[in-house]
Amino acid sequence: MLQTTSQLLSHHQKLEEHQATLHQSLAQKYPQHADVFERLAKDNLKHRDMAQRAYREGVTDAFEVGFLSNPLAAEDYVLIESDGDFTTDVVTMISNEEIIVRFCVDAASSSSRLLPDVPETFERLVKRKKRGIDRLKELI
């Protein structure tokens, strides 16, 4: 159970890194679309860094993180591995991005209002991730 802002950010980091790895493997598997998959992998890492930066900027020695108003279950946000044909792989990546979007929406509503930059960052990430989903949809 993700109960603190720190745990929430840690799980988000794992999701983004895992999805970046999946995109990178698809870039190798489908070199004709490598530019799209590599860009999406870079975006995943950029999104990870944006959320971590918002968290670090909001936390000081005198101001520690609180508990989430609505704890989240990490197992509700698990990415799917795919090893199918191109269409199946892209649909899986879209599904994974939608899982991360759902996580970001839930994280924004659950994260501590004591750190306002964290929920605001997750809300911005949702918009960015939806653009990534649109890029993936263009492939199929």
Side-chain angles (χ1 to χ4, degrees):
M1 186 66 65
L2 307 174
Q3 297 182 10
T4 67
T5 307
S6 176
Q7 291 169 333
L8 183 98
L9 271 288
S10 178
H11 190 69
H12 176 254
Q13 179 178 348
K14 290 175 189 172
L15 288 173
E16 294 288 7
E17 289 172 353
H18 188 157
Q19 183 72 343
T21 300
L22 294 173
H23 280 305
Q24 290 164 341
S25 67
L26 290 182
Q28 292 175 359
K29 186 175 179 180
Y30 304 109
Q32 67 275 31
H33 299 290
D35 56 329
V36 173
F37 291 120
E38 289 171 358
R39 178 70 201 150
L40 291 168
K42 286 180 185 177
D43 287 348
N44 286 117
L45 299 178
K46 187 186 310 182
H47 299 161
R48 172 204 63 193
D49 294 344
M50 287 174 63
Q52 291 293 324
R53 187 171 31 260
Y55 173 71
R56 281 192 306 272
E57 289 172 359
V59 177
T60 66
D61 291 339
F63 183 61
E64 224 3 272
V65 295
F67 285 87
L68 298 177
S69 59
N70 215 7
L72 303 177
E75 60 272 8
D76 291 343
Y77 312 95
V78 177
L79 302 183
I80 304 161
E81 300 280 337
S82 179
D83 191 22
D85 62 9
F86 178 74
T87 302
T88 302
D89 288 343
V90 172
V91 168
T92 300
M93 291 295 99
I94 291 169
S95 177
N96 282 350
E97 289 293 340
E98 289 171 344
I99 289 168
I100 298 172
V101 165
R102 187 169 42 87
F103 178 82
C104 289
V105 168
D106 295 347
S109 67
S110 297
S111 56
S112 173
R113 293 294 165 187
L114 298 174
L115 297 171
D117 287 345
V118 172
E120 289 170 9
T121 298
F122 278 118
E123 290 166 0
R124 281 193 306 273
L125 289 179
V126 167
K127 292 176 186 172
R128 289 173 178 246
K129 297 204 106 3
K130 287 182 178 179
R131 287 193 300 263
I133 290 170
D134 289 342
R135 276 185 261 162
L136 285 168
K137 287 180 179 177
E138 290 173 3
L139 296 176
I140 53 177

